[in-house]
Amino acid sequence: MDILVVVAHPDDADVFCGGTIAKHAERGDEVSIVHMTRGEYGGLRTDSQEAVGRVREQEARDSGAVLGASEVAFLEFKDGRITYSLENRVEMVDVIREYDPDIILTHYKDDLHPDHRATSRLVTDAYYMASLPLVETDFEPCDPDNIYYFGKPTSEFTPSMFIDIDGYLEQKVTAIKKHESQVEFLVEHGGIDAEFDNLIDGLRAENLVFGKQAGARSAEGFVPLHESAQEFLG
């Protein structure tokens, strides 16, 4: 199985679905993580955007290696400035066709961060268009089976299916800790993204709560575009 994870920023994949990525990678699935931006706004006032982007890209590559991702890639969108447009939608069609995934993971449509919302809409609409033979791009049409959305407690996101990540939670935590620049930054900015206060402890607690809902020790929650329920995402 080929899985494409499309996220707005470095660390999004680890935080929201790191356990699921690790679980699929261990069983031999190809999991590619594509970042819309390099997260260049995620720095302190003394940092330049270029320097922050370089650091965050390397952190994402390091964390992807911990999770066992087959590929970690970056598009050329600007942090905080992802917009929905026909041009960007066609670009996302080409991304999906290039990777030709069975499954796509991405942000839920309702989210505090505008980049997350824009990414969700671009991926969803491109998913539909990717299979249309008369939509011409650089790659051949493909037809992924499903999209699974992950979300944040600050939104209306309510998971309807869960992936048991018992045995992968610590691997997820190790991957998140590779984002050293962001752990400090997000804790300092807890007033903006309150769910990042006590980042690691909060994620452990969330995954344990999801686990109780799913009858597992720990789990990650998703909302599928097409309803399904199974141990793996396909």
Side-chain angles (χ1 to χ4, degrees), residues 5-200:
V5 184
V6 183
V7 292
H9 314 101
D11 77 19
D12 285 340
D14 314 75
V15 168
F16 296 118
C17 58
T20 299
I21 291 172
K23 182 173 184 175
H24 277 272
E26 185 178 69
R27 81 165 186 178
D29 293 336
E30 297 286 320
V31 184
S32 300
I33 305 173
V34 172
H35 302 81
M36 300 287 281
T37 78
R38 288 170 171 78
E40 60 270 18
Y41 274 173
L44 304 176
R45 191 175 294 272
T46 55
D47 300 324
S48 70
Q49 290 185 39
E50 293 76 12
V52 170
R54 287 194 299 270
V55 169
R56 297 201 67 185
E57 177 176 343
Q58 187 57 56
E59 290 175 344
R61 294 190 185 282
D62 293 343
S63 66
V66 170
L67 296 176
S70 306
E71 182 176 351
V72 175
F74 293 82
L75 305 181
E76 297 302 323
F77 292 89
K78 299 300 183 183
D79 190 12
R81 290 152 284 182
I82 301 175
T83 58
Y84 187 91
S85 67
L86 176 59
E87 179 182 5
N88 290 344
R89 187 177 71 191
V90 172
E91 180 175 349
M92 185 53 59
V93 168
D94 218 27
V95 170
I96 292 174
R97 287 177 169 181
E98 178 181 1
Y99 285 92
D100 190 16
D102 300 295
I103 297 295
I104 301 172
L105 309 184
T106 196
H107 299 277
Y108 188 62
K109 62 183 178 180
D110 175 39
D111 193 290
L112 179 65
H113 201 303
D115 282 350
H116 294 185
R117 296 196 302 270
T119 297
S120 181
R121 187 179 175 195
L122 286 168
V123 172
T124 301
D125 290 357
Y127 161 83
Y128 172 77
M129 294 186 66
S131 66
L132 303 180
L134 295 183
V135 177
E136 297 183 2
T137 69
D138 292 338
F139 295 90
E140 293 298 315
C142 68
D143 191 14
D145 295 330
N146 209 350
I147 301 178
Y148 292 86
Y149 302 99
F150 44 74
K152 306 169 75 172
T154 51
S155 73
E156 296 178 1
F157 175 75
T158 302
S160 60
M161 68 162 292
F162 302 90
I163 298 299
D164 183 346
I165 61 166
D166 185 29
Y168 300 94
L169 180 56
E170 293 310 311
Q171 190 173 350
K172 170 178 178 168
V173 169
T174 299
I176 292 171
K177 288 181 178 179
K178 293 295 182 182
H179 299 276
E180 294 182 13
S181 68
Q182 292 311 288
V183 172
E184 176 185 359
F185 174 78
L186 292 170
V187 168
E188 182 173 326
H189 288 74
I192 299 174
D193 268 343
E195 72 274 18
F196 283 117
D197 289 343
N198 303 312
L199 176 63
I200 302 299

